[in-house]
Amino acid sequence: MTNLTYEAYLDEVATLLTELYDLDDATAIKLVVDAQSAEYFSPHDDHPDMRTLTRAREDAVALYKARQARVSTQAKQQRATHKKR
C-alpha cells in the first residue's frame, strides 16, 4: 500500500469528507484543520505507515461521526435550555 505525504493525507481526508458526506469544501477543511489542531493527526505525522488511502477513509468516517455526535449533543442542550424557559 502506498503511503501519502502528511499534507496529501490531510487533503485526501478532506476530499473524502466531501465525497462521502456531501460536505462543502470549507466545512470539510475546517473539520480536518480542527482535528489537526486537536492533535488527532499527530501520530500520522510521526508514522508514515498510517498515511494510507484506507486509513484516510477510516479517519474521514471517524471525523464525520464525531461531528455528528457534537451537533446532536448541542441540539439536545438547546432543546433542554428552551424547555426550562
Side-chain angles (χ1 to χ4, degrees), residues 11-83:
D11 287 344
E12 182 64 21
V13 173
T15 298
L16 286 166
L17 285 164
T18 64
E19 292 174 356
L20 295 172
Y21 300 107
D22 199 30
L23 297 178
D24 60 66
D25 287 343
T27 302
I29 291 167
K30 181 169 177 12
L31 271 174
V32 171
V33 168
D34 288 350
Q36 187 180 19
S37 293
E39 299 188 9
Y40 179 83
F41 292 112
S42 290
H44 302 68
D45 194 19
D46 297 334
H47 304 285
D49 56 315
M50 293 180 74
R51 299 189 307 253
T52 64
L53 294 175
T54 300
R55 182 64 183 254
R57 186 179 196 88
E58 292 169 359
D59 283 335
V61 170
L63 291 177
Y64 184 78
K65 285 182 178 180
R67 176 182 182 263
Q68 291 303 99
R70 281 191 310 276
V71 169
S72 176
T73 299
Q74 289 170 349
K76 287 177 187 175
Q77 289 172 341
Q78 288 176 351
R79 284 193 299 271
T81 300
H82 287 287
K83 283 183 181 180

